[in-house]
Amino acid sequence: MMASHGGLGTRAVHAGDPEPRPNAPVVNPIVPSTTFYMDPDGGGDLLYSRYGNGPNHTVVEARLAALDGGDDALVLGSGMAAMACAMLSLLQAGDHVVATDAIYGGTRALLSTELTRLGITTTYVDFFSPGWREAIRPETRVVLGEFPSNPLLRVADLRPIADAAHEHGAALVVDATFASPFNFRPLEHGADLVMHSATKYLAGHSDVTAGALVGSHARVGEARKRARVWGPMLDPHAAWLLERGMKTLSVRMERHNRNGMEISRWAEGRPEIAHTFYPGLASHPDHEVASRILDGFGGMMGIELRGGGPAASRFVRALRLAKVAPSLGGVESLVSEPRHTSHGAMTPQERADNGIRDGFIRVSLGIEDAADLIADLEQALVAAEDGPEQREAAE
Ligand SMILES: Cc1ncc(COP(=O)(O)O)c(C=O)c1O
């Protein structure tokens, strides 16, 4: 195997590759075979596709482990598959989870609906309020964070959270989807298991659904056991696409980070925007922590329009380059309104109490030229100001 060391850019291209031999392909081939020849006496690791250890899986797992600084990684059919297998591997009936209240909706459904049915309970906490520790009970086995958070991009200092979890014998699991290992490696800050929706930045092209866990051999091994039985394996074609996407992770993230900084600075100066949410801005509440524990501030940005919900509706309709879609982390810029997606089940007041007023737009900045994105956002801001009421008044 090659290059599990070196910089992140080098690892993203080479880690886990087989040693080169004359006539071997430079690009790892897709191996769709569902089964593999074995020694008639029982030898052989590669037996069956549902075990998820075919050549396309093992290479991408070695690469992910090298990027996140773990001993081992597991790739699965979606981010939710990864989260479910992580929870199933760490919890049993009677156990308790302390989870961030700013959690992805699917993960909330997993905890509050599926795991509750298995006798596992969850308390949601605000990790930014020191009182969160009071939620830890003797039966707490998992502390679950998600940083940077959706959509306010909050970044907590992980070390004190990890220390509190470990003092009580619980594992710290962190969903680092919004950052990717290029910007944030929670294992370096005390987390026990890191989870990614690889559908986002890792694959990077909005054309693969995949998930991943990275950690120690023991922790990943337990999740792997669950996955082999519950069966949410990644298809070899998708594993191959994920590997291809990951090769350009470092250059894509450099561009996402640059666009994030440049466009959020521009947004902060616009009179139509009441507030810009980006951890790279000094105005972000976690700027100091983010500067310390992130290697880049990422491509996710939030803007809150002064004109509220009506202005936001006009704004997203007027965009020409960035398009409305709920996912994130791809090369193309996408926008969504939390009031219609992740926070649609809350009342406007509940959302406002959580810092997400109507008029809030989440922007997943792609790798287009910053000047073109700014021009697009600017013309949409002007169009949003010039709503039907204003046009009628002018006529
Ligand atoms: C932060 C976060 N975690 C987990 C998931 C779930 O990932 P997937 O859709 O790949 O199952 C998502 C999906 O949007 C997400 O944004």
Side-chain angles (χ1 to χ4, degrees):
M1 292 241 196
M2 286 174 65
S4 56
H5 52 274
L8 289 177
T10 307
R11 295 181 203 195
V13 177
H14 294 294
D17 265 345
E19 285 297 334
R21 311 176 262 106
N23 302 320
V26 169
V27 172
N28 294 312
I30 304 175
V31 182
S33 186
T34 56
T35 189
F36 297 84
Y37 295 119
M38 62 186 288
D39 189 306
D41 298 326
D45 296 331
L46 293 183
L47 299 176
Y48 182 51
S49 50
R50 201 191 65 248
Y51 286 11
N53 65 346
N56 298 111
H57 304 89
T58 50
V59 72
V60 92
E61 288 174 351
R63 197 160 299 176
L64 264 165
L67 285 175
D68 248 322
D71 300 333
D72 199 1
L74 172 67
V75 287
L76 293 169
S78 68
M80 284 311 302
M83 184 55 85
C85 287
M87 294 300 122
L88 289 168
S89 71
L90 291 162
L91 298 162
Q92 57 187 16
D95 287 348
H96 175 248
V97 180
V98 170
T100 167
D101 55 7
I103 201 159
Y104 172 65
T107 311
R108 187 180 277 266
L110 172 74
L111 296 169
S112 295
T113 312
E114 302 303 315
L115 296 189
T116 309
R117 292 173 58 218
L118 302 181
I120 297 158
T121 52
T122 299
T123 305
Y124 295 97
V125 299
D126 174 7
F127 282 118
F128 299 91
S129 142
W132 76 266
R133 288 176 178 75
E134 287 157 26
I136 301 181
R137 303 181 197 158
E139 63 273 22
T140 304
R141 296 269 74 77
V142 168
V143 173
L144 176 59
E146 185 181 311
F147 306 111
S149 71
N150 176 38
L152 298 175
L153 308 170
R154 300 295 313 264
V155 180
D157 201 355
L158 273 198
R159 186 61 67 179
I161 299 177
D163 289 346
H166 296 155
E167 255 170 52
H168 293 84
L172 174 62
V173 180
V174 176
D175 178 341
T177 297
F178 271 42
S180 91
F182 189 77
N183 281 346
F184 185 34
R185 292 170 301 284
L187 300 177
E188 293 175 2
H189 303 276
D192 299 288
L193 208 49
V194 55
M195 174 266 162
H196 298 282
S197 166
T199 315
K200 316 297 197 260
Y201 287 108
L202 280 169
H205 295 73
S206 306
D207 55 7
V208 182
T209 305
L213 296 172
V214 191
S216 65
H217 285 301
R219 300 242 186 240
V220 174
E222 282 303 308
R224 197 185 299 281
K225 279 189 211 160
R226 307 283 99 68
R228 285 186 176 194
V229 178
W230 290 77
M233 286 309 174
L234 187 64
D235 178 84
H237 295 81
W240 185 87
L241 272 176
L242 174 56
E243 187 208 336
R244 190 171 77 162
M246 282 169 56
K247 288 181 187 181
T248 56
L249 180 72
S250 65
V251 285
R252 284 186 287 106
M253 291 313 299
E254 278 166 8
R255 180 65 160 243
H256 287 297
N257 291 342
R258 212 166 54 236
N259 279 353
M261 232 24 265
E262 190 171 336
I263 296 168
S264 64
R265 281 198 182 119
W266 165 83
E268 205 168 38
R270 289 298 303 195
E272 305 89 339
I273 297 176
H275 199 81
T276 302
F277 300 79
Y278 187 70
L281 296 176
S283 57
H284 191 279
D286 308 320
H287 179 61
E288 185 275 322
V289 173
S291 305
R292 197 152 35 83
I293 72 174
L294 303 184
D295 288 345
F297 299 114
M300 298 302 296
M301 173 183 84
I303 52 174
E304 184 193 313
L305 300 190
R306 281 193 203 286
S313 298
R314 293 193 293 268
F315 175 82
V316 298
R317 280 180 173 75
L319 287 168
R320 295 186 189 126
L321 186 54
K323 303 285 182 340
V324 182
S327 195
L328 65 118
V331 292
E332 64 286 296
S333 293
L334 299 176
V335 299
S336 60
E337 288 188 69
R339 64 180 173 141
H340 296 321
T341 55
S342 53
H343 295 71
M346 292 181 175
T347 65
Q349 190 55 50
E350 283 169 338
R351 280 193 293 271
D353 292 344
N354 282 283
I356 306 156
R357 272 167 282 281
D358 288 357
F360 190 105
I361 295 154
R362 183 183 86 171
V363 190
S364 171
L365 294 162
I367 62 166
E368 301 95 337
D369 292 295
D372 293 331
L373 286 170
I374 288 174
D376 188 35
L377 296 168
E378 187 160 9
Q379 65 79 25
L381 282 178
V382 172
E385 285 283 290
D386 186 18
E389 317 84 66
Q390 286 93 331
R391 272 204 301 274
E392 267 164 34
E395 275 161 15

